[in-house]
Amino acid sequence: MSEESSMRKDSTSINDTMEEEVEERDPERNPLNEPLLKRNRTLSSNPLALVGAKVSYIESLDYEYLTGFLYFVGINFLLTFVAAILCVCFAPTAAGPGIPEIKAYLNGVDTPNMYGATTLFVKIIGSIGAVSAGLDLGKEGPLVHIGSCIASLLGQGGPDNYRIKWQWLRYFNNDRDRRDLITCGASSGVCAAFRAPVGGVLFALEEVATWWRSALLWRTFCSTAVVVVVLRATIELCHKGKCGLFGEGGLIMFDVSDVTVRYNVMDIIPVVIIGVLGGVLGSLYNYLLHKVLRVYNLINQKGKMYKLLLSLSVAVFTSVCQYGLPFLAKCTPCDPSFPDVCPTNGRSGNFKQFNCPDGHYNDLATLLLTTNDDAVRNIFSTNTPLEYQPSSILIFFALYCILGLITFGIAVPSGLFLPIILMGSGYGRLLGILMGPHTNIDQGLFAVLGAASLMAGSMRMTVSLCVIFLELTNNLLLLPITMIVLLIAKTVGDSFNPSIYEIILHLKGLPFMDANPEPWMRNLTVGELVDVKPAVVSFTGIEKVANIVNALRHTTHNGFPVMDGGVVPPTGVANEATELHGIILRAHLIQVLKKKWFLKEKRRTEEWEVREKFTWVELAEREGNIEDVAVTKEEMEMFVDLHPLTNTTPFTVLESMSVAKAMVLFRQVGLRHMLVVPKYQGSGEIKDYLYIFPEIQDAKDTRDKNRVSPVVGILTRQDLLPYNILAVFPHLEKSKRK
């Protein structure tokens, strides 16, 4: 019995010794403050396979993460597919932010199908799908476009096919009021995105509007005031969680009014460094995005299927990075002093548990596996110097630099503000970690300044951006350093390349007219510019129907000078002269042909005849096509009195005026046509500019050599664009380089 008991004790001691050795080598018995991914998940000591003195560790396969990954990628894929298929098949103009097109429209360029009901519907549904899919894009651009679409539809009385013909709506059915309404809609969109009413007004003034007046200032302010009141009321109504994330995390809002901002004179050094880095990185981002968009243009030209595949490929890549990269981060133990629940497993929160044990959180998952708005709040958070590891912030910054380049340009509604804010906040927080021992500025405020600097370095906005960030942070103490950062970043960025919106306008081929002409334009006159153009097409005051129809069918001009021959000047000169009566629009000529307002003989009409036939509402519309107008052979020989429908006070310039001065006048007044008149009247070479279709004209009317044309040519927006001028006058390129 004693021998058996001793043998049992020996075997027990051996087993205990083996168990102790296994415990020492078994990582599962380590404390919970180590990350799970750093451990080798093994079985316990009971199922060990003992072969002699060797222990074989057996590792199980984990299917839980794979299932979550498939769900995550699949849902994001489906949401992106819905957004992309709507943009590709139903409303291509709904893709992108829409801000460059709005900027071009307010500059005088009407992009077709930009503000229709279909575009509005696709923009709303597509932006919801794209943002929900976790793509690196913002909703502020789509909100600006949505506001502009709503404003345009309200001014027109609804869609083209279902317009409401209310009496009061006719007052808005003109280009000027529609331009003002779209300006109000754009400022309301910015206000809705950032809850920044004054910032929205200044955004419209600084970035999108070309013409501004005092009446438009209070109208845009009234629009943003209504938006912010409605937002506030809705948030209060939904604050208890009845509306999902709206009111809890659905708006880009970062309130640091209760944070004491400390900085002294020496802190100007890191502030200047942030501004310089923002300008350099912003211009670099513009350069790289320009290259990416050119590649995307080549892909999109191949067809709708390629557009769709490109969008879905970016969505899959984004989802893989967002789900896979948090595995590289270490688990961080929760601080008991945190006021929030840690870790957070719900939809909205600051501390994502991800693959960490209880009481720990994954800081990289906190930034990636959340809404973009919550990611901004998290990385902007103050008094949290140890909440994020430098390696996680570096991965976050590198990822969003890549995603910011490849996501913009796919066929989904997207905005630029939020991706740039995320990139800028990443390098700002990194700079705050590096400079922490040498400055009093908090890491969260470094992130705010980094986001502001990158936006100024890329978008080149200053005043509106400063106010938007002040309304976001709700802290006036940030005003001095924010202003310094924005001014430095814009100055540095301007020395490298244009703003991101100007680059997009150039890529889209929109004839946007800048505020400042090129210096070499001062050495070129408008007379030299019109000499290389085809002869101007003009009409007489009482014109034959056949001449009008042929001119409209064979040209794409939208304005035609109207001349009156045989006029005796009031100075008493006996010789008759040709008078410039004004300019008539293509749309008015089409209205004349549609209404069949023809005369059997040449005569001037009375004022009551015009009012009886046309209403000012009809003349304000720009619809109609010459191909849709049917004119009989008998009607071709009849006449039209163009005098009542002619604008008798067109803007004219002398042929000796410089192109630079003409461009400034064209842009500031908001012209569509600019008539160039000769410097010397009644002498010099006799030129016949009146017709370019001599085969359909009467010889007596077309070859009257006793009169000189009072119009040398017509300048339009395309004629005054720098790259179009350089294409005609290549020798000016040398002076441009000098």
Side-chain angles (χ1 to χ4, degrees):
M1 293 292 293
S2 60
E3 293 180 356
E4 292 179 359
S5 60
S6 62
M7 291 177 62
R8 290 175 182 175
K9 291 180 181 178
D10 294 339
S11 62
T12 303
S13 62
I14 293 173
N15 291 334
D16 293 339
T17 304
M18 291 182 61
E19 288 181 1
E20 291 177 358
E21 293 178 355
V22 171
E23 287 179 358
E24 290 179 358
R25 289 179 290 178
D26 186 6
E28 291 293 338
R29 301 295 182 91
N30 285 350
L32 293 178
N33 59 358
E34 293 187 5
L36 288 175
L37 288 182
K38 299 299 181 182
R39 311 171 196 162
N40 295 320
R41 288 182 292 274
T42 64
L43 298 174
S44 63
S45 60
N46 293 328
L48 287 177
L50 299 179
V51 181
K54 295 183 179 180
V55 180
S56 176
Y57 289 94
I58 303 173
E59 184 174 353
S60 300
L61 297 176
D62 194 341
Y63 297 100
E64 182 180 1
Y65 290 118
L66 179 61
T67 305
F69 170 75
L70 293 178
Y71 271 108
F72 184 75
V73 176
I75 292 174
N76 291 344
F77 183 90
L78 181 62
L79 291 170
T80 306
F81 177 80
V82 173
I85 199 70
L86 288 175
C87 291
V88 169
C89 298
F90 297 99
T93 54
I99 294 179
E101 289 82 359
I102 296 172
K103 189 174 180 179
Y105 180 84
L106 298 180
N107 189 259
V109 182
D110 190 5
T111 306
N113 304 320
M114 194 63 198
Y115 306 103
T118 305
T119 303
L120 174 63
F121 174 79
V122 172
K123 199 77 174 186
I124 294 174
I125 303 300
S127 60
I128 293 174
V131 172
S132 302
L135 295 175
D136 182 26
L137 46 84
K139 54 181 176 290
E140 71 292 327
L143 281 174
V144 172
H145 193 184
I146 289 170
S148 300
C149 289
I150 294 175
S152 177
L153 291 173
L154 287 176
Q156 298 180 42
D160 294 337
N161 298 331
Y162 304 98
R163 284 191 178 180
I164 300 174
K165 299 296 183 179
W166 287 342
Q167 190 74 11
W168 62 273
L169 281 176
R170 64 180 183 177
Y171 295 103
F172 300 101
N173 195 13
N174 59 81
D175 290 341
R176 177 170 177 170
D177 287 334
R178 189 185 181 201
R179 181 188 69 194
D180 291 351
L181 286 171
I182 289 177
T183 305
C184 294
S187 61
S188 300
V190 175
C191 176
F194 299 104
R195 265 173 63 188
V198 180
V201 175
L202 293 177
F203 174 81
L205 171 61
E206 182 181 11
E207 186 62 25
V208 296
T210 298
W211 303 287
W212 196 265
R213 62 185 193 278
S214 59
L216 190 57
L217 180 64
W218 71 262
R219 289 175 182 175
T220 53
F221 186 72
C222 178
S223 303
T224 57
V226 172
V227 171
V228 77
V229 169
V230 173
L231 270 177
R232 184 64 184 175
T234 310
I235 290 174
E236 290 292 334
L237 187 64
C238 300
H239 190 64
K240 296 182 180 179
K242 297 180 180 179
C243 304
L245 294 180
F246 186 80
E248 297 291 336
L251 290 171
I252 305 172
M253 191 66 186
F254 174 63
D255 191 346
V256 292
S257 57
D258 56 343
V259 176
T260 302
V261 181
R262 298 186 181 92
Y263 52 87
N264 51 37
V265 178
M266 294 305 298
D267 291 330
I268 194 67
I269 297 176
V271 170
V272 171
I273 293 175
I274 290 178
V276 173
L277 283 176
V280 173
L281 294 178
S283 58
L284 179 61
Y285 174 77
N286 292 356
Y287 174 78
L288 295 177
L289 186 61
H290 183 211
K291 300 298 182 183
V292 172
L293 291 178
R294 294 184 65 177
V295 175
Y296 279 8
N297 285 339
L298 297 177
I299 298 175
N300 294 333
Q301 289 175 359
K302 295 183 179 181
K304 296 181 179 180
M305 185 59 65
Y306 286 88
K307 290 183 180 180
L308 186 61
L309 291 177
L310 178 61
S311 303
L312 296 177
S313 301
V314 172
V316 171
F317 177 78
T318 303
S319 300
V320 170
C321 292
Q322 289 176 339
Y323 196 91
L325 289 179
F327 285 101
L328 301 177
K330 297 179 181 180
C331 292
T332 305
C334 294
D335 190 343
S337 62
F338 284 160
D340 297 337
V341 178
C342 179
T344 305
N345 291 319
R347 295 177 297 173
S348 179
N350 294 331
F351 306 102
K352 299 299 182 184
Q353 185 174 5
F354 196 60
N355 64 324
C356 297
D358 294 338
H360 293 70
Y361 69 94
N362 189 310
D363 59 344
L364 189 54
T366 299
L367 297 174
L368 297 182
L369 296 177
T370 185
T371 63
N372 289 335
D373 300 342
D374 278 340
V376 172
R377 291 189 186 90
N378 293 338
I379 203 168
F380 278 7
S381 59
T382 56
N383 300 323
T384 54
L386 302 177
E387 186 171 331
Y388 302 101
Q389 303 171 21
S391 58
S392 299
I393 299 294
L394 182 60
I395 295 173
F396 173 84
F397 172 65
L399 173 63
Y400 274 98
C401 284
I402 297 173
L403 294 181
L405 290 173
I406 66 174
T407 304
F408 187 80
I410 62 176
V412 295
S414 59
L416 276 172
F417 275 73
L418 200 56
I420 295 178
I421 288 177
L422 291 172
M423 286 186 286
S425 61
Y427 88 80
R429 188 103 186 184
L430 279 175
L431 196 61
I433 295 174
L434 295 175
M435 293 188 173
H438 310 288
T439 181
N440 296 320
I441 302 178
D442 189 87
Q443 292 182 12
L445 298 183
F446 264 104
V448 175
L449 296 177
S453 67
L454 191 61
M455 290 189 70
S458 177
M459 299 181 176
R460 313 294 158 76
M461 296 187 298
T462 53
V463 180
S464 59
L465 200 57
C466 182
V467 174
I468 287 175
F469 268 87
L470 288 181
E471 290 182 294
L472 282 177
T473 58
N474 198 19
N475 196 325
L476 283 176
L477 294 177
L478 293 176
L479 180 61
I481 54 177
T482 304
M483 293 173 64
I484 294 173
V485 164
L486 292 176
L487 290 174
I488 294 176
K490 182 185 185 303
T491 304
V492 173
D494 284 337
S495 62
F496 290 101
N497 50 30
S499 69
I500 185 63
Y501 289 133
E502 293 180 16
I503 292 174
I504 296 174
L505 285 169
H506 180 71
L507 285 174
K508 289 180 175 290
L510 297 174
F512 184 83
M513 188 167 290
D514 293 323
N516 300 316
E518 298 288 342
W520 50 265
M521 289 183 175
R522 302 170 187 170
N523 303 323
L524 185 69
T525 64
V526 292
E528 296 172 332
L529 196 58
V530 298
D531 281 343
V532 297
K533 294 184 60 179
V536 66
V537 181
S538 62
F539 299 119
T540 58
I542 302 175
E543 189 59 80
K544 187 179 291 187
V545 176
N547 297 341
I548 298 175
V549 172
N550 283 278
L552 295 179
R553 287 178 178 175
H554 292 85
T555 66
T556 58
H557 305 329
N558 285 290
F560 303 89
V562 177
M563 312 288 188
D564 273 333
V567 178
V568 178
T571 55
V573 180
N575 295 333
E576 295 181 348
T578 301
E579 177 188 65
L580 172 62
H581 185 71
I583 186 171
I584 190 168
L585 298 179
R586 170 182 285 265
H588 293 165
L589 293 174
I590 293 177
Q591 287 286 344
V592 167
L593 298 178
K594 281 185 176 180
K595 292 279 189 176
K596 306 291 184 180
W597 196 53
F598 304 146
L599 303 172
K600 293 184 179 179
E601 68 279 347
K602 285 188 175 183
R603 68 175 180 87
R604 296 286 294 265
T605 55
E606 301 293 336
E607 185 177 349
W608 64 268
E609 295 182 78
V610 183
R611 293 182 176 180
E612 188 179 68
K613 195 70 175 179
F614 301 97
T615 64
W616 66 273
V617 176
E618 293 173 340
L619 295 178
E621 294 182 354
R622 295 290 182 265
E623 300 177 356
N625 198 329
I626 186 60
E627 281 75 18
D628 302 330
V629 179
V631 182
T632 63
K633 186 176 181 181
E634 292 77 12
E635 292 172 340
M636 286 286 192
E637 300 300 322
M638 302 177 73
F639 300 91
V640 176
D641 182 15
L642 301 179
H643 292 95
L645 301 176
T646 301
N647 176 14
T648 58
T649 57
F651 280 88
T652 60
V653 295
L654 289 176
E655 59 181 346
S656 58
M657 178 182 284
S658 68
V659 174
K661 187 177 290 187
M663 178 183 171
V664 172
L665 175 64
F666 197 99
R667 186 182 188 275
Q668 290 183 348
V669 183
L671 300 181
R672 189 176 186 181
H673 305 95
M674 177 182 287
L675 301 183
V676 181
V677 297
K679 186 176 182 179
Y680 302 102
Q681 297 281 353
S683 62
E685 182 183 357
I686 302 296
K687 297 182 180 179
D688 182 18
Y689 290 103
L690 295 182
Y691 300 101
I692 61 173
F693 309 110
E695 67 276 5
I696 62 172
Q697 307 293 340
D698 184 77
K700 181 179 179 181
D701 293 336
T702 59
R703 299 303 175 192
D704 186 3
K705 297 299 182 181
N706 295 325
R707 56 184 179 180
V708 178
S709 173
V711 177
V712 177
I714 296 181
L715 292 178
T716 61
R717 175 179 298 269
Q718 295 283 356
D719 300 323
L720 296 173
L721 295 179
Y723 51 85
N724 287 339
I725 298 176
L726 291 176
V728 180
F729 299 96
H731 66 278
L732 295 176
E733 182 71 23
K734 298 180 180 179
S735 61
K736 176 185 177 182
R737 293 174 181 174
K738 292 180 181 179

